[in-house]
Amino acid sequence: MEALDYHAEERRKAEFNLDEMKIVWAGSRRNYELSDRVARLVASDPVFRKDNRTMLTRKDLFKDTLRKAAHAWKRIIDLRLSEEEANMLRSYVDQPAFTDLHWGMFIPAIKGQGTSEQHEKWLPMAYKMQIIGCYAQTELGHGSNVQGLETTATFDPQTDEFDLHSPTLTSSKWWPGGLGKVSTHAVVYARLITGGQDHGVHGFIVQLRGLDDHLPLPGITVGDIGMKFGSGAYNSMDNGLLRFDHVRIPRNQMLMRVSQVTREGKFVQSDVPRQLVYGTMVYVRQTIVSDASCALARAVCIATRYSAVRRQFGSQNGGPEIQVIDYKTQQSRLFPLLASAYAFRFVGEWLKWLYTDVTQRLQANDFSTLPEAHACTAGLKSMTTSVTADAIEECRKLCGGHGYLSNSGLPELFAVYIPTCTYEGDNVVLLLQVARFLMKTVSQLGSGKKPVGTTAYMGRAEHLMQCRCEVEMAQDWLKPSTILEAFEARAVRMSIACAKSLGKFSNPEDGFAELSPDLVEVAIAHCQLIVVSKFLEKLQQDIPGKGVKRQLEILCNVYALHLLHKHLGDFVATGCITPNQGALANEQLRLLYAQVRPNAIALVDAFNYTDHYLGSILGCYDGNVYQKLYQEAWKDPLNDTVVPDGYLEYLRPILKQHIRTARL
Ligand SMILES: CCCCCCCCCCCCCCCCCCCCCC(=O)SCCNC(=O)CCNC(=O)[C@H](O)C(C)(C)COP(=O)(O)OP(=O)(O)OC[C@H]1O[C@@H](n2cnc3c(N)ncnc32)[C@H](O)[C@@H]1OP(=O)(O)O
Ligand SMILES: Cc1cc2nc3c(=O)[nH]c(=O)nc-3n(C[C@H](O)[C@H](O)[C@H](O)COP(=O)(O)OP(=O)(O)OC[C@H]3O[C@@H](n4cnc5c(N)ncnc54)[C@H](O)[C@@H]3O)c2cc1C
């Protein structure tokens, strides 16, 4: 018997080859096949069950996380999974764990900031997980201001050791994931002091717990910082606190690629730029952009499938009501998010390429592209995570009341996702870094230094400052060059206007602080331009499959024109377009929504998410939402008994009193 599929009719409407779109989404046929295999592996394994997660106590949730991590590691070894497949497995298991920090930050920090001898000593143990590490940078008193960290590492030439110390309460390490209960080691960021002189913040490998008994080593106080936002969600992670009371480590445990301390206690700064101490953050910000597209796609998949099942109003002659996905308001809220998921996917692919390129250059001691890599990773991390966090909440609202049920999957997805706006750099702080980079680029425009990479458009500032948009009819907005020029002109005009305003301040730092809200807007305009331009570049590629490229063109136009509509004030105020051209863009946007509509379900099917990964009744593949909601309600522990616990103590006395009062 054929399986029931409430979306069958929707799926028949699709105007493109779904299998080919799945490959575009995955990045290649090989990626698609690997990811499909790993997703099924996870979905079919009872140890990776997660539907009861929000009901578990913190202790049970944590133990469940340890169990899943151990099982994942066993699967990785037994099946000889590659690092790429192991990472896919990590992401489909979908439960934040100490392993994220071990693989995602501890190992990269040693790789990026350690010497080859340090690699040889530490990496083999870390790869085999004979030691487990975390990234201990943030303190109770300082997170964003890394230069303000207070932990000290004082060199003692007598013993050839560093003395690690937490001099104040605010110097306690606070937040590192995996630190609270699991890590045996950490890369600790501390102020390096030699001969009484402070050389700023550097990384040190420090053992925290015994490898036999897991007890904290002498001088170390360590524990978990407590419950976080939401149930389930990020509470599977042991974010920790850590204090040092004069803990001794050998000199060769300072990560010495960027600077060294000699046996005599002499501080030596190599040719490698100091900023490489921040290198691990660049790496992780890049991975966060790719993850943003996954989280966004997941929320959009749930909201789209449910919007096709849900019906409200408009029944004619006793016929069915209207599917809520057919309301223009629903489309104008949902389809830009669908388009953003694709846009972030492609910009994530490009950022991965950029990061690989910069890493290869760094290995060859070419540091020229580091500022650009920092600006791109910081800006895109900030923009994509802010949009995704807001989008998950919007998807919850798009699902009406049922979106608020835990089993819609959206509340936990929101709770687990929102800290990405803060960790790995607060999003506003990161946008201000981008703005600094842009202001520097503008200030060098007259100097003959040609802007390159993502700021190359600034080299055409003269043209972009005075060009006029040529749109006369709605369909003129479908021309890629028209869209691109409008976004470039807006970004360059906003940058130059801000640079001019900054010039009015006698102290540039005062000006930067005063104008920071405007500078944030400038950075956003630049980041949006990057995403639009990378989507357009993607469309230049040969994309096989019936109708696939056409759908992507539609989504690209939706992405660009919805941004134009949302930020119309910027585009009109900078004179890039007229109010009438803005209205034409909006008209075109409505036409595009109508083109997305028949393909919506297939466009979310292309993410190839299993029901296990989605973890949502509203988003289940077959759309059998009502029956599943009804069945699920009965599984709630409150329904284990017909009469609730507490009835005799608390309800009955009130009810009886009510009867007595009524009799009076
Ligand atoms: C079993 C499974 C197996 C699986 C196996 C599978 C294997 C694969 C597994 C993969 C798993 C992945 C999962 C990951 C999960 C991650 C979870 C993450 C959790 C969260 C972690 C964290 O949360 S961890 C802490 C992050 N904490 C920040 O994020 C602090 C922000 N705060 C700053 O980042 C700085 O403090 C701030 C503001 C720049 C000011 O820096 P500052 O004070 O120095 O001041 P300035 O602004 O003056 O900067 C001076 C000059 O440095 C330049 N510059 C600045 N940064 C730069 C940089 N990064 N690179 C280059 N250049 C940089 C700047 O552009 C200036 O350049 P110029 O002088 O030329 O203008
Ligand atoms: C779930 C989670 C996991 C984490 N994991 C780790 C980890 O593994 N390792 C680790 O070391 N750290 C970790 N962190 C810490 C995290 O990196 C920091 O919290 C983050 O960098 C933000 O710093 P902060 O907390 O100091 O925020 P603050 O800087 O105190 O931010 C507070 C407010 O001030 C504003 N602000 C700050 N500076 C400026 C400025 N210059 N201009 C304008 N506005 C400003 C911010 O925009 C924000 O609104 C984690 C945090 C969380 C929430």
Side-chain angles (χ1 to χ4, degrees):
M1 201 176 78
E2 210 173 287
L4 181 80
D5 182 3
Y6 285 84
H7 290 307
E9 185 51 36
E10 289 289 340
R11 292 191 165 111
R12 265 194 292 277
K13 286 188 208 161
E15 297 158 324
F16 65 94
N17 181 326
L18 177 60
D19 289 338
E20 291 292 341
M21 188 65 93
K22 285 183 178 175
I23 290 166
V24 173
W25 176 262
S28 66
R29 183 174 294 279
R30 181 180 163 277
N31 278 2
Y32 167 72
E33 285 166 0
L34 288 184
S35 144
D36 188 60
R37 189 169 77 92
V38 176
R40 285 170 201 277
L41 190 101
V42 172
S44 61
D45 191 328
V47 178
F48 295 132
R49 176 181 171 195
K50 58 177 184 173
D51 54 345
N52 56 349
R53 192 163 53 190
T54 53
M55 298 286 190
L56 299 180
T57 63
R58 175 90 201 280
K59 276 189 165 179
D60 287 344
L61 175 65
F62 188 68
K63 196 164 175 192
D64 175 67
T65 311
L66 296 184
R67 177 171 176 244
K68 281 180 176 153
H71 187 63
W73 185 236
K74 189 167 182 313
R75 299 304 279 157
I76 289 167
I77 290 171
D78 290 351
L79 300 171
R80 294 168 191 267
L81 299 188
S82 65
E83 189 169 327
E84 196 182 1
E85 289 167 305
N87 194 26
M88 287 173 179
L89 187 116
R90 174 193 72 85
S91 105
Y92 286 125
V93 169
D94 184 36
Q95 192 151 309
F98 62 93
T99 42
D100 299 355
L101 281 303
H102 175 75
W103 293 97
M105 294 201 81
F106 178 71
I107 290 178
I110 297 175
K111 271 164 101 177
Q113 292 153 51
T115 60
S116 42
E117 296 85 70
Q118 290 174 323
H119 292 173
E120 274 166 36
K121 173 167 181 196
W122 296 100
L123 292 178
M125 287 187 284
Y127 283 135
K128 287 187 222 139
M129 293 194 78
Q130 289 164 338
I131 59 171
I132 296 172
C134 66
Y135 185 87
Q137 183 177 290
T138 306
E139 296 174 355
L140 193 53
H142 286 107
S144 297
N145 181 9
V146 179
Q147 290 195 37
L149 296 179
E150 296 176 76
T151 305
T152 50
T154 308
F155 183 63
D156 179 353
Q158 308 255 299
T159 59
D160 198 22
E161 288 171 326
F162 290 105
D163 176 297
L164 273 262
H165 190 58
S166 311
T168 57
L169 175 66
T170 48
S171 71
S172 311
K173 293 292 171 191
W174 192 272
W175 270 119
L179 168 66
K181 293 286 155 192
V182 176
S183 294
T184 60
H185 288 68
V187 168
V188 173
Y189 287 82
R191 316 198 72 76
L192 167 65
I193 296 168
T194 62
Q197 208 187 332
D198 185 330
H199 301 285
V201 172
H202 291 77
F204 300 82
I205 302 176
V206 185
Q207 182 170 353
L208 306 174
R209 293 179 164 100
L211 292 177
D212 294 323
D213 54 10
H214 208 62
L215 291 174
L217 296 188
I220 286 177
T221 305
V222 64
D224 187 276
I225 60 169
M227 275 292 275
K228 288 148 290 195
F229 188 102
S231 45
Y234 217 80
N235 288 300
S236 55
M237 185 71 85
D238 54 331
N239 293 93
L241 63 88
L242 169 66
R243 284 185 64 77
F244 298 106
D245 182 10
H246 296 289
V247 171
R248 296 267 163 165
I249 57 164
R251 181 171 55 93
N252 65 8
Q253 285 181 208
M254 169 177 157
L255 292 172
M256 293 224 199
R257 181 170 180 212
V258 179
S259 330
Q260 299 89 41
V261 172
T262 65
R263 175 66 190 87
E264 297 71 40
K266 197 167 155 247
F267 175 74
V268 183
Q269 177 81 57
S270 61
D271 305 340
V272 177
R274 240 201 70 70
Q275 282 80 6
L276 224 65
V277 172
Y278 298 155
T280 313
M281 294 186 276
V282 174
Y283 163 69
V284 178
R285 287 172 192 154
Q286 169 262 137
T287 69
I288 289 176
V289 175
S290 299
D291 286 351
S293 70
C294 296
L296 178 53
R298 195 164 150 184
V300 164
C301 181
I302 295 168
T304 305
R305 285 185 180 160
Y306 178 67
S307 296
V309 168
R310 187 67 168 176
R311 292 172 181 270
Q312 293 284 346
F313 301 103
S315 161
Q316 307 259 322
N317 306 322
E321 293 173 285
I322 295 171
Q323 290 166 280
V324 297
I325 198 172
D326 284 325
Y327 289 110
K328 287 286 169 186
T329 45
Q330 192 85 351
Q331 294 178 5
S332 69
R333 293 158 66 202
L334 182 58
F335 294 166
L337 304 182
L338 172 62
S340 303
Y342 277 88
F344 294 174
R345 190 74 178 178
F346 301 142
V347 85
E349 263 176 17
W350 168 78
L351 199 61
K352 197 169 175 184
W353 168 85
L354 182 89
Y355 180 78
T356 312
D357 180 67
V358 88
T359 313
Q360 280 163 0
R361 286 170 192 266
L362 291 178
Q363 272 154 7
N365 284 346
D366 168 5
F367 307 108
S368 58
T369 54
L370 192 58
E372 155 101 339
H374 166 49
C376 288
T377 46
L380 291 171
K381 179 273 180 187
S382 172
M383 196 201 98
T384 56
T385 56
S386 291
V387 169
T388 299
D390 291 348
I392 297 169
E393 167 62 0
E394 186 64 13
C395 286
R396 182 191 68 76
K397 291 186 221 155
L398 283 162
C399 295
H402 300 335
Y404 191 64
L405 271 172
S406 185
N407 61 28
S408 76
L410 293 167
E412 199 191 6
L413 182 58
F414 181 70
V416 82
Y417 193 76
I418 49 173
T420 51
C421 297
T422 306
Y423 66 52
E424 222 45 65
D426 167 82
N427 278 356
V428 169
V429 170
L430 292 185
L431 286 174
L432 290 171
Q433 288 284 306
V434 179
R436 253 183 215 286
F437 173 71
L438 293 175
M439 291 305 105
K440 205 167 174 178
T441 310
V442 172
S443 72
Q444 291 169 345
L445 279 181
S447 70
K449 192 171 177 227
K450 242 179 125 191
V452 291
T454 50
T455 51
Y457 67 101
M458 290 198 175
R460 288 179 283 110
E462 219 171 299
H463 165 72
L464 293 170
M465 287 302 284
Q466 42 79 36
C467 65
R468 292 271 161 267
C469 173
E470 286 172 359
V471 165
E472 288 174 358
M473 294 181 297
Q475 70 192 51
D476 293 341
W477 274 117
L478 299 179
K479 241 174 107 180
S481 56
T482 303
I483 290 181
L484 192 59
E485 188 165 276
F487 275 82
E488 287 181 342
R490 167 211 184 207
V492 93
R493 289 177 198 204
M494 287 174 73
S495 278
I496 288 178
C498 242
K500 278 191 184 148
S501 305
L502 278 177
K504 293 181 193 147
F505 288 81
S506 49
N507 177 346
E509 282 309 311
D510 287 348
F512 199 87
E514 186 61 26
L515 298 180
S516 53
D518 298 347
L519 286 158
V520 163
E521 298 295 321
V522 169
I524 290 173
H526 172 73
C527 293
Q528 289 176 344
L529 164 63
I530 299 178
V531 182
V532 168
S533 66
K534 296 303 159 195
F535 206 151
L536 288 169
E537 270 174 30
K538 178 82 189 176
L539 296 173
Q540 303 298 312
Q541 293 174 9
D542 182 30
I543 301 174
K546 177 186 154 265
V548 173
K549 193 167 189 170
R550 173 88 198 102
Q551 286 309 310
L552 294 175
E553 281 165 357
I554 293 170
L555 290 175
C556 181
N557 290 328
V558 167
Y559 181 71
L561 295 184
H562 106 276
L563 283 181
L564 194 143
H565 180 61
K566 194 169 156 196
H567 298 273
L568 195 58
D570 285 355
F571 284 90
V572 174
T574 48
C576 296
I577 66 169
T578 63
N580 186 44
Q581 287 169 328
L584 290 171
N586 200 25
E587 189 182 323
Q588 183 55 56
L589 196 52
R590 282 201 309 274
L591 298 172
L592 289 165
Y593 292 152
Q595 292 170 26
V596 174
R597 169 64 188 93
N599 297 290
I601 292 294
L603 283 168
V604 300
D605 284 349
F607 305 147
N608 201 38
Y609 289 155
T610 59
D611 280 351
H612 170 274
Y613 181 63
L614 279 178
S616 165
I617 286 182
L618 306 189
C620 60
Y621 182 84
D622 68 12
N624 190 7
V625 169
Y626 294 137
Q627 197 170 16
K628 287 183 180 159
L629 278 176
Y630 193 81
Q631 284 166 352
E632 204 60 26
W634 294 111
K635 291 186 194 157
D636 192 280
L638 269 190
N639 288 329
D640 285 352
T641 55
V642 180
V643 175
D645 286 354
Y647 166 76
L648 285 178
E649 298 104 296
Y650 306 116
L651 269 182
R652 200 177 139 89
I654 297 174
L655 292 167
K656 287 291 170 200
Q657 175 200 325
H658 175 69
I659 292 166
R660 276 200 305 275
T661 328
R663 275 195 193 130
L664 278 174

